[in-house]
Amino acid sequence: MSEDAHQNADTYQPNQAQRDAIEAIDGPLLVMAGPGTGKTELLSRRAAHILDARDVAPENVLCLTFTDVGAATMRTRLIQRVGRDAYGIGVYTFH
């Protein structure tokens, strides 16, 4: 992960709509926003929150993004947040 991406994850301050999305744990969630708006961080935090808040196996969590870079960044952030369980979360590209 680049130093900038690491710094952005450390200083990420979600707005109310982003907090609502992070805390939404029932059902699927679609996040549509422009580049650099925190989508990858939001989805990483949401997946971690689901694992913390519910008795859900990591294998039952799926995160999709449009780029290989986004998927790799999300995987790295999940590993930092939830440790080894992150390897069970499905993180893939969709296109």
Side-chain angles (χ1 to χ4, degrees):
M1 180 187 290
S2 73
E3 187 63 34
D4 288 341
H6 214 9
Q7 198 171 24
N8 289 342
D10 292 341
T11 61
Y12 177 74
Q13 294 295 319
N15 63 34
Q16 186 60 50
Q18 291 168 325
R19 280 192 299 277
D20 291 345
I22 290 167
E23 294 171 2
I25 55 176
D26 292 322
L29 176 74
L30 173 65
V31 176
M32 293 177 52
T37 56
K39 295 177 299 296
T40 301
E41 184 64 22
L42 181 151
L43 292 175
S44 301
R45 287 179 185 226
R46 181 173 190 250
H49 179 67
I50 290 170
L51 295 177
D52 286 344
R54 295 284 171 97
D55 185 25
V56 173
E59 295 80 16
N60 293 325
V61 176
L62 173 65
C63 297
L64 298 173
T65 185
F66 283 100
T67 67
D68 291 333
V69 172
T73 300
M74 191 176 307
R75 171 76 63 207
T76 299
R77 291 180 185 175
L78 285 166
I79 291 166
Q80 291 170 344
R81 288 199 176 283
V82 301
R84 295 186 59 85
D85 281 347
Y87 292 104
I89 297 172
V91 178
Y92 304 103
T93 57
F94 176 82
H95 44 104

